[in-house]
């Protein structure tokens, strides 16, 4: 494995909060490089520069982890878009791109596996075999290209998450395993999210927690409970959307006319950068170790979160200085005062 950095994920976590950033698929879809629906990261092969650019933007904004864009880059999903033959190249290329940008800073590279849609708790034995083979194949390539640890994420089933954990541990890599939380309180195979994280921790996961689905308001209470029952590191990567008690996940959000907002009508529900910064502060205060963002994430959030965590990052050079604004600033010239009056009306 090529050496990128001599500070591994576990060393960094021991010293303090590690910041991550995800949401590559959503952001690259918004930029016109990924097709909504299948959400397969074809961009890795078709527009590698676009992937590198987003890695770089997250790096400049404070992410310490470049997550290889292999989300849904597995056999089942690639078959859907007729690119099964590109599977190996897509996976290898995604890890290479993450490595290239990680070396521009002092970032780690995470291999990435996710829910496969192949796991079936009713047919656990046979489907586990398929899932295991998919993970072994993906992570085998990733390891050859060079990764520091693995993020297994958006796990709907504890059963599937445990397979991921086993495969990661076989490869002797640190394992971060996080759950999806689409349902009220339980995984799809019936484990309370808190209990499921405890089981993952007991099975040797280095980092457990939640990613995706929930915004800050509805993720924090669960993550706080997880923190109180495990002694390993805890990760929280919410979506930057205003979920609430009535609509706890971004899948459940409805527009004014009652339409499902997920995944293409979500803009009216976006959090602002200050709300995400507040999330980072609160997560740190309750002892969360890995703080990031998921679908909907973008560099301005990541920078605001980094600064809330007390960091100055490369993109901080261009952080807002509203005092210098000609109308909103502290020294408004006489001729601009009319603007201010109009803006306030
Ligand atoms: Zn997500």
């Amino acid at each position: 494995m090529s050496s990128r950095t001599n500070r591994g994920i576990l060393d960094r976590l021991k010293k303090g909060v590690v910041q991550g950033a995800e949401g590559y698929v959503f952001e690259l879809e918004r930029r016109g490089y990924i097709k909504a629906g299948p959400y397969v990261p074809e961009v890795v092969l078709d527009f590698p520069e676009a992937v590198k650019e987003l890695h770089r933007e997250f790096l400049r904004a404070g992410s310490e982890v470049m997550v290889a864009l292999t989300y849904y880059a597995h056999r089942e999903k690639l078959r859907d878009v007729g690119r099964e033959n590109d599977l190996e190249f897509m996976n290898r290329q995604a890890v290479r791109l993450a490595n290239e940008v990680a070396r521009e800073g002092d970032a780690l590279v995470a291999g990435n596996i996710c829910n496969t849609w192949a796991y079936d708790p009713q047919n656990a034995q046979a489907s586990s075999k398929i899932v295991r083979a998919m993970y072994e194949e993906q992570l085998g390539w990733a390891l050859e290209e060079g990764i520091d640890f693995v993020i297994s994420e958006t796990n709907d089933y504890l059963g599937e998450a445990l397979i991921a954990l086993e495969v990661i541990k076989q490869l002797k890599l640190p394992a971060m395993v996080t759950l999806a939380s689409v349902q009220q309180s339980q995984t799809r195979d019936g484990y309370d999210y808190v209990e499921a994280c405890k089981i993952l921790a007991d099975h040797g996961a280095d980092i457990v927690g939640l990613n995706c689905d929930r915004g800050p308001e509805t993720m924090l209470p669960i993550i706080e409970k997880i923190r109180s029952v495990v002694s390993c590191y805890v990760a929280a990567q919410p979506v930057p959307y205003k979920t609430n008690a009535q609509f706890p996940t971004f899948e459940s959000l409805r527009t004014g006319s009652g339409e499902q907002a997920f995944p293409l009508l979500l803009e009216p529900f976006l959090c602002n950068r200050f709300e995400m910064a507040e999330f980072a502060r609160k997560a740190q205060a309750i002892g969360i170790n890995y703080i990031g963002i998921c679908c909907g994430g973008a560099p301005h959030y990541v920078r605001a979160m980094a600064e809330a965590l007390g960091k100055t990052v490369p993109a901080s050079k261009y952080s807002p200085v509203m005092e210098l604004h000609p109308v909103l600033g502290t020294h408004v010239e006489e001729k601009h005062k009319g603007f201010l009056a109009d803006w306030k009306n």
Side-chain angles (χ1 to χ4, degrees), residues 22-26 71 153-154 211-214 237-240 250-251 262 293-297:
E22 300 189 30
Y24 286 93
V25 170
F26 253 50
Y71 195 90
E153 63 183 4
T154 337
N211 79 286
C212 212
D213 304 308
R214 289 172 189 256
Q237 301 208 84
V239 294
F250 72 162
E251 291 91 345
F262 177 86
I293 192 165
C294 205
C295 303

Side-chain angles (χ1 to χ4, degrees), residues 179-194:
L179 304 172
S181 52
V182 182
Q183 305 206 110
Q184 198 65 30
S185 63
Q186 291 188 336
T187 64
R188 290 197 176 273
D189 44 359
Y191 294 86
D192 183 273
Y193 294 129
V194 179

Side-chain angles (χ1 to χ4, degrees), residues 95-172:
V95 180
R96 277 178 214 151
L97 299 175
N99 266 290
E100 281 177 41
V101 180
R103 283 196 202 98
E104 295 174 9
D106 181 36
L108 298 167
V109 174
N112 187 221
I113 50 177
C114 61
N115 57 315
T116 61
W117 302 101
Y119 185 74
D120 176 5
Q122 305 303 325
N123 187 14
Q125 214 176 357
S127 64
S128 293
K129 249 189 195 165
I130 297 168
V131 170
R132 180 182 301 272
M134 287 162 74
Y135 289 156
E136 285 176 348
E137 186 173 53
Q138 273 192 287
L139 291 182
W141 294 324
L143 189 61
E144 282 178 20
E145 297 299 331
I147 51 175
D148 297 294
F149 72 110
V150 178
I151 299 177
S152 155
E153 63 183 4
T154 337
N155 286 289
D156 293 309
Y157 299 100
L158 174 64
E160 192 170 37
L162 285 167
I163 299 168
L165 177 58
E166 266 181 44
V167 174
I168 301 166
K169 288 282 129 185
Q170 273 168 21
L171 298 173
K172 302 202 178 342

Side-chain angles (χ1 to χ4, degrees), residues 2-47:
S2 56
S3 117
R4 290 161 298 278
T5 167
N6 50 19
R7 299 193 303 134
I9 182 73
L10 300 178
D11 283 347
R12 291 182 193 220
L13 287 164
K14 209 181 288 174
K15 294 198 180 89
V17 169
V18 170
Q19 195 182 356
E22 300 189 30
Y24 286 93
V25 170
F26 253 50
E27 180 60 17
L28 289 165
E29 190 278 333
R30 288 190 289 217
R31 295 184 184 190
Y33 296 110
I34 283 182
K35 186 180 282 294
Y39 286 115
V40 175
E42 298 172 82
V43 59
V44 165
L45 298 182
D46 298 346
F47 294 95

Side-chain angles (χ1 to χ4, degrees), residues 39-108:
Y39 286 115
V40 175
E42 298 172 82
V43 59
V44 165
L45 298 182
D46 298 346
F47 294 95
E49 287 307 315
V51 178
K52 281 177 68 175
E53 174 59 24
L54 185 53
H55 276 312
R56 189 173 292 123
E57 290 173 20
F58 281 152
L59 179 73
R60 291 184 66 255
S63 178
E64 295 165 67
V65 179
M66 297 293 104
V67 183
L69 182 47
T70 54
Y71 195 90
Y72 282 170
H74 57 63
R75 215 170 271 285
E76 296 274 308
K77 292 293 287 186
L78 262 70
R79 204 177 284 145
D80 293 348
V81 293
R83 293 191 81 154
E84 206 187 341
N85 292 336
D86 289 335
L87 181 67
E88 179 174 352
F89 188 44
M90 193 181 287
N91 273 273
R92 287 187 183 278
Q93 173 93 329
V95 180
R96 277 178 214 151
L97 299 175
N99 266 290
E100 281 177 41
V101 180
R103 283 196 202 98
E104 295 174 9
D106 181 36
L108 298 167

